[in-house]
Amino acid sequence: MTLSVEEKEGAPFGHRRRPRRKHRVLRWSATTLSVLILGTAGAGYLYYQHLNDNIVKGERASGDSKVGKAAPNAAGQTPLNILMIGSDSRNSDENVALGGSRDNRGNPPLGDVQMLIHLSADRKSAAVVSIPRDTRVDIPECEDPDTGKTFPPTDTIINESLARGGAGCTLATWQNLTGVYIDHWMTIDFAGVVSMADAIGGVEVCVKQNVWDRPLPNVPGGSGLKLTAGRKKVEGKQALQWLRTRHAWGSDPLRARAQHMYLNSMLRTLKQQNVFSDTGRLMDLAEAATKSLTVSQEIGTVKQLYDLGTQLRTVPTDRITMTTLPTVPDSQNSDHLVPDGAAAEKIWSMLRDDVPFDDKGGKAQQKKPASEEQPAPAVNKAAVGVLVRNATQSSTAAPVSGRAGAVAQALASKGFTKATADTSATLSEDRTVVRYPSAELRGDAHAVAKSLGIPLSSVKKSTDVSGVTVDVGGDWRTGTAYPKQSAPKAGDLPGNSDEINGSDAKQCMDVYAPYRW
């Protein structure tokens, strides 16, 4: 019997996955986030220029995205969003030794680990959302900043975005999927995970049964992780094995849970450690951190990383919530996933509106955004030009014909007689958005949104439009009045988001039976 690539690497029993050029997976985001926390140790001011030279930088965005920054809240504060990407690159001897798959050396890396870290505008809570690597999404047109090669838009699994224009393309993909503006990205590879794990000094993990993620009959591969039941500290290569393990947990979503447990444990460890008086330890941490990362260019100095760390330092562990994007099987390919409709949109809505993933912040954090509290100014509707476009197509649904015309007619009946439908192109937006190009048209855009019942949080300034433009998204497939949606409440996450609180030290992984010993 001939085994597929995934079977050779050890797919879980009863589950065959499609062959892929890069099939071994590493979830690094737990370790990468620790770099931000290093600001608590003041590492940013040791060997400043030397450490700056260690940091590799790249273009923030290299893909087509129309998402703008969130409006400030009533206190003038804005959220901070950081995309963490784990690269499966095997472009060095060290990465090949750690990750295997020598045949793939030199190939463009895949972004097999992707997590969005959302720091609330008031810096009192943080949320983390992982997207499984095989989730099918719309990847926009991207240009590789190194080669100048242009990649056309495509509909495929999200981990391929990294090979289609680098981390900047992955960032654009996330922005288009979520409607959330992402301020920065960071990437880390196999070798970086090991060096950071060593510098931290180990992280405590837990398994309910003895685990050995090893080759089995007809299921070769595995990370090599071998632990006895209970709580153990892992570091270096063993920490890497924990983060890579999939077969012993039974699925990719369960692997994400194990990585979230590792990340939470690591954050607790870093907060408990007193490294201020240990100069040698500080040097080790700073050296490992700056050598392990590639970052978007606007945070390409140690001071800028330090400043990020000081912001994250304010968040207590019991206000950090780890989640995985709700998904369902892909009807087009059983080996893939797609976002779970309303549940996924609820996650993105909470991030866009800066609603805490936990309910521990009190009512003060549940105020409406400043843009929602400002009344729309009076406008001469008959003088407002409005272009309406059909953006109801998505990775899971075909476009609904006639939507642009129907909404344009509805606007005309409400006094916006210059409203017209653009039938020349079909776009893709998960939610309806009203865009305007300049400050003087902001009031007009708000008036258009209010007349249709569209929330003002969906009104965005964008240089990609020449006038007020309504993109009718996948959340508005019927009718001429925008569907009423209840505002998300703090802590009201979908049931299938698998959330874990950062202060929960009792979490322990259940081992898939064939990998117990």
Side-chain angles (χ1 to χ4, degrees):
M1 181 173 111
T2 302
L3 297 177
S4 70
V5 172
E6 278 299 304
E7 288 171 311
K8 291 177 181 178
E9 289 305 311
F13 279 55
H15 181 71
R16 291 174 60 107
R17 302 180 61 83
R18 72 172 182 85
R20 64 170 50 81
R21 179 167 45 88
K22 295 197 173 184
H23 44 273
R24 293 194 178 184
V25 177
L26 176 60
R27 303 269 182 176
W28 336 111
S29 301
T31 302
T32 309
L33 182 56
S34 70
V35 175
L36 304 181
I37 304 301
L38 291 179
T40 63
Y45 296 103
L46 297 173
Y47 297 104
Y48 186 76
Q49 189 57 49
H50 165 69
L51 297 178
N52 276 342
D53 292 341
N54 285 344
I55 302 172
V56 179
K57 298 177 284 292
E59 190 173 292
R60 175 190 162 271
S62 57
D64 182 20
S65 177
K66 300 177 176 63
V67 177
K69 287 185 71 70
N73 62 14
Q77 303 164 310
T78 56
L80 177 66
N81 295 295
I82 306 165
L83 182 62
M84 316 303 291
I85 305 169
S87 163
D88 73 349
S89 171
R90 292 176 174 83
N91 291 335
S92 71
D93 291 340
E94 191 172 6
N95 281 329
V96 169
L98 292 168
S101 193
R102 290 168 173 77
D103 292 342
N104 288 330
R105 181 164 185 164
N107 290 340
L110 300 178
D112 279 339
V113 180
Q114 298 181 26
M115 289 185 181
L116 181 64
I117 300 169
H118 173 87
L119 188 60
S120 65
D122 62 10
R123 304 301 189 258
K124 293 182 179 178
S125 68
V128 177
V129 182
S130 297
I131 293 184
R133 60 174 181 169
D134 287 341
T135 303
R136 182 167 61 88
V137 299
D138 293 318
I139 299 176
E141 178 180 294
C142 294
E143 180 179 323
D144 190 309
D146 296 324
T147 66
K149 180 179 180 179
T150 298
F151 295 86
T154 187
D155 173 29
T156 188
I157 55 178
I158 197 167
N159 76 335
E160 294 186 15
S161 60
L162 189 64
R164 300 177 63 84
C169 183
T170 302
L171 181 143
T173 300
W174 271 76
Q175 287 197 159
N176 291 345
L177 174 67
T178 66
V180 175
Y181 180 87
I182 300 173
D183 300 271
H184 317 296
W185 56 256
M186 292 183 173
T187 69
I188 193 168
D189 60 15
F190 293 159
V193 169
V194 171
S195 63
M196 281 302 303
D198 285 338
I200 291 168
V203 174
E204 185 179 82
V205 297
C206 180
V207 286
K208 294 180 181 178
Q209 304 88 15
N210 296 347
V211 59
W212 188 5
D213 194 38
R214 65 199 188 280
L216 294 176
N218 298 321
V219 191
S223 72
L225 179 70
K226 187 174 185 180
L227 295 172
T228 55
R231 299 191 176 278
K232 302 288 185 299
K233 180 176 284 191
V234 296
E235 57 184 308
K237 187 172 182 179
Q238 195 171 47
L240 176 64
Q241 291 172 335
W242 176 276
L243 295 169
R244 295 185 67 197
T245 294
R246 172 168 59 96
H247 309 321
W249 310 141
S251 71
D252 277 331
L254 289 173
R255 172 168 49 191
R257 179 188 296 178
Q259 290 153 3
H260 292 161
M261 290 179 189
Y262 179 96
L263 173 52
N264 282 331
S265 179
M266 184 190 63
L267 294 178
R268 293 192 299 269
T269 298
L270 286 170
K271 283 181 175 289
Q272 292 167 1
Q273 291 176 343
N274 182 14
V275 296
F276 289 96
S277 60
D278 189 342
T279 302
R281 180 88 192 287
L282 279 172
M283 292 169 59
D284 290 343
L285 288 170
E287 195 75 29
T290 54
K291 286 184 176 179
S292 297
L293 290 174
T294 300
V295 302
S296 52
Q297 57 195 7
E298 73 288 345
I299 54 169
T301 69
V302 174
K303 183 181 184 305
Q304 289 162 328
L305 291 175
Y306 175 87
D307 290 342
L308 287 179
T310 58
Q311 293 184 66
L312 281 166
R313 180 185 178 186
T314 66
V315 182
T317 54
D318 67 347
R319 296 299 313 281
I320 299 173
T321 307
M322 308 279 171
T323 63
T324 300
L325 176 69
T327 55
V328 294
D330 184 357
S331 61
Q332 297 183 18
N333 186 329
S334 61
D335 289 334
H336 295 166
L337 303 167
V338 292
D340 183 10
E345 174 56 26
K346 189 174 187 179
I347 291 282
W348 305 143
S349 177
M350 293 176 76
L351 293 178
R352 290 192 300 263
D353 294 339
D354 199 24
V355 177
F357 278 19
D358 69 297
D359 58 0
K360 300 178 180 179
K363 294 183 179 179
Q365 289 202 24
Q366 299 179 38
K367 292 180 179 179
K368 291 182 179 180
S371 61
E372 296 288 344
E373 297 173 352
Q374 299 171 358
V379 300
N380 179 4
K381 295 181 179 180
V384 178
V386 186
L387 183 67
V388 184
R389 304 187 295 191
N390 187 343
T392 54
Q393 179 175 277
S394 72
S395 59
T396 58
V400 179
S401 63
R403 292 302 295 144
V407 174
Q409 290 178 13
L411 279 170
S413 70
K414 295 176 183 295
F416 293 91
T417 54
K418 289 188 175 182
T420 59
D422 179 1
T423 58
S424 62
T426 298
L427 307 176
S428 177
E429 296 280 358
D430 287 334
R431 65 173 187 139
T432 299
V433 183
V434 180
R435 295 187 170 92
Y436 62 96
S438 55
E440 61 267 21
L441 293 179
R442 179 175 180 270
D444 293 350
H446 278 203
V448 168
K450 185 176 180 181
S451 70
L452 294 171
I454 299 170
L456 296 187
S457 59
S458 295
V459 179
K460 306 291 183 183
K461 184 178 178 181
S462 172
T463 57
D464 293 318
V465 296
S466 57
V468 177
T469 303
V470 179
D471 287 335
V472 183
D475 59 346
W476 190 10
R477 299 175 69 83
T478 60
T480 55
Y482 187 72
K484 290 186 177 181
Q485 300 176 359
S486 58
K489 297 179 180 179
D492 187 21
L493 289 166
N496 55 347
S497 61
D498 196 24
E499 71 268 23
I500 300 177
N501 185 271
S503 63
D504 187 354
K506 297 180 180 179
Q507 291 283 334
C508 202
M509 287 301 296
D510 194 33
V511 179
Y512 182 40
Y515 294 91
R516 299 174 188 175
W517 61 280

